[in-house]
């Protein structure tokens, strides 16, 4: 019957407070009962180390004393051992199972002195003796420590692979899509493939993931807290978050968030190496393999074909010599006499190629039945060097090659003298056109005039 007592106590307290406020009833504000008032927050007693753990939650003991810390707060344990016991553990991130590692050394330190296992680091060595201090470093330089770390890594990998295989064979999986709330039964791959296919949300191949349920729960919790999974920003409501992830293409996880690493098997393969480091090594090996594969590649120089026959030469110089000796055609001399620039040489070569392809002599305009007959005629009549007037071959149509693979066009001379010759021997008009009025441009463009001239010629 505690309720009536409580009500009575509340009533009496109210009466007293009213009396205090009104100054009646003979109650002094400095009443001795004021000592019962609570004027500041109270705290329940804590454990001796200042850290409390829930019953049944996994914890790790200190190597030297009875302090216990949650597994998820191993940094606090490391800090405790440094401050209280002067012990430093090197490369903690390379320890696959921190709890087992601590328990092993806790037992070993009771069997032998700490100096048998740790290197001694003296700080303030130049200070007076009473101000000097010794710290102990536990690292994998010690063979026993290195073997322990390797064994823990192997054991952890074995456990992870067993867990992964169990999840791969599990047909009792039940999950809900984070985007459309559709339920899926059977194997985890059904849900993961659905999110990748229907929502473009791909967290990786099912066979590469371990502890899938925990992974999905973590992602769902972030979404419930209105947090983007990629940029990890928080939003005011669910619709704003959905629009953000869709428009910004953030339907993926943040690859730089290390809390996701434990859900991918690749991060357990090698001691102390993340998936990024392993991937970089694989890419390096692939590139090295590619270099080895192509190291014996020998690039053969492209050969240029003579203008009049099928003879080929690897250099432009050799081709010039051949055409002059066999066909009495000196392209360098023609270029110099006519002051041809690079583009005019291109036009001339394409003109000659087309005439030879059509079996027509460009000197006398006679057409022959075969190229051999044409070549015999031009050599006997010495028409190879009898070029027509410039206006015949210096046309826009000869900018386009007669043969697509004509290497000669790529190795024609294009020296500084060509540019000088171009400025001295050819007055090329440059006409500025206002592109702001496209309709008027189409009607008055210089290209229309050039096209009309070509049509009249043909």
């Amino acid at each position: 019957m505690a309720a009536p007592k409580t009500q009575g106590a509340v009533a009496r307290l109210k009466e007293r407070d009213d009396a205090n406020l009104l100054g009646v009833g003979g109650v002094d504000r400095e009443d001795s009962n004021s000592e019962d008032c609570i004027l500041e927050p109270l705290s329940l007693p804590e454990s001796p180390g200042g850290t409390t753990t829930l019953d049944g939650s996994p914890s790790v003991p200190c190597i030297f004393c009875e302090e216990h810390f949650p597994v998820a707060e191993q940094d606090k344990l490391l800090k405790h051992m440094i401050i209280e016991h002067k012990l430093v553990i090197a490369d903690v991130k390379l320890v696959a199972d921190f709890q087992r590692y601590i328990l092993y050394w806790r037992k070993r330190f009771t069997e032998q002195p700490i100096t048998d296992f740790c290197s001694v680091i003296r700080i303030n060595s130049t200070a007076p003796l009473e101000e000097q201090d010794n710290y102990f470093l536990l690292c994998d330089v010690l063979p026993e420590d290195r073997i322990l770390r390797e064994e823990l890594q192997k054991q952890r990998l074995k456990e992870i692979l067993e867990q992964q295989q169990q999840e791969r064979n599990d047909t009792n999986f039940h999950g809900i899509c984070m985007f459309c709330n559709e339920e899926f039964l059977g194997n985890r791959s059904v849900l993961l493939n659905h999110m990748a296919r229907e929502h473009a949300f791909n967290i990786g191949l099912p066979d590469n993931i371990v502890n899938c349920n925990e992974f999905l729960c973590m992602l769902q919790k972030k979404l419930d807290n209105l947090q983007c999974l990629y940029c990890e920003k928080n939003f005011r409501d669910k619709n704003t978050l959905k629009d953000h992830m869709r428009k910004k293409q953030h339907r993926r996880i943040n690859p730089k968030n290390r809390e996701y690493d434990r859900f991918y098997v690749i991060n357990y393969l090698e001691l102390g190496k993340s998936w990024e480091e392993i991937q970089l090594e694989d890419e390096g090996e692939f590139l090295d393999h590619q270099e080895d594969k192509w190291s014996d590649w020998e690039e053969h120089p492209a050969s240029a074909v003579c203008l009049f026959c099928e003879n080929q030469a690897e250099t432009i110089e050799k081709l010039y010599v051949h055409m002059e000796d066999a066909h009495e055609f000196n392209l360098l001399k023609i270029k110099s006499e006519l002051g041809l620039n690079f583009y005019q040489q291109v036009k001339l070569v394409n003109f000659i190629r087309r005439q030879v392809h059509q079996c027509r002599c460009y000197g006398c305009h006679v057409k022959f039945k075969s190229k051999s007959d044409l070549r015999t005629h031009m050599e006997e009549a010495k028409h190879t060097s009898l070029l027509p007037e410039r206006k015949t071959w210096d046309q826009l149509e000869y900018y386009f090659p007669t043969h697509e693979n004509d290497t000669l066009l790529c190795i024609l001379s294009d020296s500084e003298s060509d540019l000088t010759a171009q400025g001295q021997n050819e007055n090329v008009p440059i006409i500025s056109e206002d592109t702001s009025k496209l309709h008027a441009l189409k009607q008055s463009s210089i290209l229309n005039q050039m096209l009309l001239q070509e049509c009249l010629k043909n």
Side-chain angles (χ1 to χ4, degrees):
M1 302 298 293
K5 293 182 179 179
T6 303
Q7 293 174 358
V10 172
R12 288 194 298 271
L13 181 60
K14 185 176 186 300
E15 291 175 358
R16 190 188 67 182
D17 290 341
D18 292 341
N20 286 337
L21 291 173
L22 296 175
V24 297
V27 179
D28 191 354
R29 298 190 63 178
E30 297 296 327
D31 190 279
S32 59
N33 291 333
S34 63
E35 296 178 358
D36 297 333
C37 298
I38 300 175
L39 302 179
E40 61 184 13
L42 303 181
S43 300
L44 293 172
E46 295 184 348
S47 63
T51 304
T52 59
T53 58
L54 298 176
D55 292 340
S57 62
S59 62
V60 185
C62 173
I63 292 180
F64 302 97
C65 65
E66 297 305 320
E67 282 288 338
H68 282 69
F69 295 82
V71 173
E73 300 177 0
Q74 69 178 36
D75 288 344
K76 292 184 177 180
L77 173 57
L78 296 172
K79 181 179 179 181
H80 164 79
M81 290 192 294
I82 292 176
I83 296 175
E84 301 297 333
H85 307 290
K86 306 294 190 296
L87 176 69
V88 179
I89 301 178
D91 297 323
V92 177
K93 67 177 183 177
L94 302 184
V95 178
D97 192 326
F98 183 72
Q99 186 178 27
R100 294 178 186 173
Y101 181 83
I102 293 295
L103 292 175
Y104 176 87
W105 284 115
R106 178 181 172 89
K107 179 177 180 298
R108 291 290 288 131
F109 281 4
T110 61
E111 299 171 349
Q112 294 178 233
I114 187 174
T115 52
D116 290 352
F117 306 106
C118 299
S119 302
V120 179
I121 303 175
R122 177 167 295 178
I123 63 172
N124 296 332
S125 58
T126 58
L129 187 61
E130 60 274 8
E131 296 181 8
Q132 297 180 13
D133 208 348
N134 292 335
Y135 281 78
F136 304 95
L137 177 64
L138 180 62
C139 63
D140 59 0
V141 174
L142 179 70
E144 184 176 353
D145 185 87
R146 183 177 67 255
I147 294 173
L148 173 61
R149 294 180 185 228
E150 292 174 352
E151 290 299 322
L152 292 176
Q153 171 69 16
K154 293 177 183 178
Q155 182 64 26
R156 173 55 60 88
L157 179 59
K158 179 181 178 182
E159 294 172 355
I160 288 297
L161 293 177
E162 290 176 352
Q163 175 67 21
Q164 182 200 33
Q165 188 62 37
Q166 180 183 347
E167 294 181 8
R168 293 169 66 180
N169 298 331
D170 181 22
T171 57
N172 298 319
F173 174 83
H174 174 263
I176 300 176
C177 176
M178 294 182 287
F179 302 99
C180 64
N181 295 326
E182 183 178 351
E183 293 190 18
F184 293 89
L185 301 173
N187 190 271
R188 59 181 183 162
S189 61
V190 180
L191 173 58
L192 297 180
N193 291 334
H194 161 81
M195 291 193 295
R197 182 178 62 252
E198 300 297 332
H199 306 289
F201 180 71
N202 188 1
I203 59 175
L205 296 176
D207 287 345
N208 296 336
I209 296 174
V210 67
N211 297 322
C212 184
N213 285 334
E214 183 184 354
F215 194 9
L216 294 176
C217 288
M218 174 186 289
L219 298 177
Q220 183 64 59
K221 185 177 180 180
K222 289 178 179 289
L223 293 178
D224 292 341
N225 292 332
L226 304 179
Q227 185 181 54
C228 174
L229 298 178
Y230 181 74
C231 66
E232 301 183 344
K233 294 180 181 178
N234 290 93
F235 295 84
R236 64 177 181 273
D237 55 56
K238 187 169 291 187
N239 290 331
T240 305
L241 172 61
K242 287 182 177 180
D243 290 342
H244 163 80
M245 294 180 68
R246 176 177 55 83
K247 293 178 180 179
K248 296 292 186 179
Q249 297 183 353
H250 281 190
R251 285 189 174 180
R252 47 192 171 136
I253 63 174
N254 183 0
K256 295 182 179 180
N257 190 333
R258 293 302 174 206
E259 67 177 340
Y260 298 135
D261 287 356
R262 69 178 186 272
F263 300 114
Y264 292 91
V265 177
I266 190 173
N267 294 301
Y268 298 92
L269 297 181
E270 295 189 44
L271 185 66
K273 290 185 180 179
S274 66
W275 63 271
E276 292 178 318
E277 294 170 324
I278 296 176
Q279 190 176 51
L280 287 174
E281 289 181 358
D282 292 341
E283 291 177 355
E285 292 177 0
F286 175 77
L287 293 176
D288 292 340
H289 175 70
Q290 289 294 98
E291 292 177 358
D292 294 340
K293 183 177 180 181
W294 295 98
S295 60
D296 57 348
W297 174 269
E298 294 183 3
E299 184 177 359
H300 298 282
S303 299
V305 182
C306 173
L307 291 172
F308 306 100
C309 66
E310 288 72 27
N311 183 271
Q312 299 184 21
E314 294 180 355
T315 63
I316 187 69
E317 291 78 12
K318 293 181 179 179
L319 186 62
Y320 285 158
V321 172
H322 162 77
M323 289 191 295
E324 184 176 3
D325 293 343
H327 309 291
E328 297 183 1
F329 181 83
N330 192 333
L331 184 58
L332 289 176
K333 182 179 179 181
I334 294 173
K335 170 193 170 185
S336 177
E337 291 179 350
L338 299 181
L340 304 181
N341 59 32
F342 173 78
Y343 296 103
Q344 290 169 334
Q345 293 180 74
V346 169
K347 292 179 183 179
L348 178 58
V349 169
N350 289 331
F351 168 77
I352 296 176
R353 292 284 195 203
R354 185 177 303 182
Q355 299 302 310
V356 172
H357 175 72
Q358 296 173 347
C359 301
R360 181 183 290 109
C361 175
Y362 53 75
C364 61
H365 309 291
V366 177
K367 189 170 184 178
F368 294 86
K369 294 182 178 180
S370 64
K371 292 182 180 180
S372 59
D373 293 341
L374 170 64
R375 186 164 54 252
T376 301
H377 159 76
M378 296 185 73
E379 292 175 357
E380 291 178 351
K382 300 187 181 301
H383 283 181
T384 52
S385 58
L386 185 61
L387 293 176
E389 297 181 5
R390 181 191 290 262
K391 63 180 181 180
T392 303
W393 54 265
D394 194 0
Q395 302 293 331
L396 295 176
E397 61 181 301
Y398 295 116
Y399 272 128
F400 304 96
T402 303
H403 304 283
E404 291 184 353
N405 60 341
D406 193 351
T407 309
L408 178 58
L409 298 175
C410 302
I411 58 178
L412 290 172
S413 176
D414 185 21
S415 61
E416 292 293 333
S417 59
D418 296 337
L419 300 177
T420 304
Q422 179 180 358
Q424 294 176 348
N425 299 286
E426 184 176 8
N427 186 18
V428 180
I430 301 177
I431 302 175
S432 174
E433 295 183 338
D434 185 6
T435 58
S436 61
K437 300 178 180 180
L438 294 178
H439 180 72
L441 174 61
K442 293 179 181 178
Q443 300 297 326
S444 60
S445 176
I446 188 65
L447 297 176
N448 289 332
Q449 301 176 18
M450 297 172 66
L451 182 60
L452 180 61
Q453 292 176 2
E454 290 299 317
C455 293
L456 293 176
K457 291 180 181 180
N458 297 332

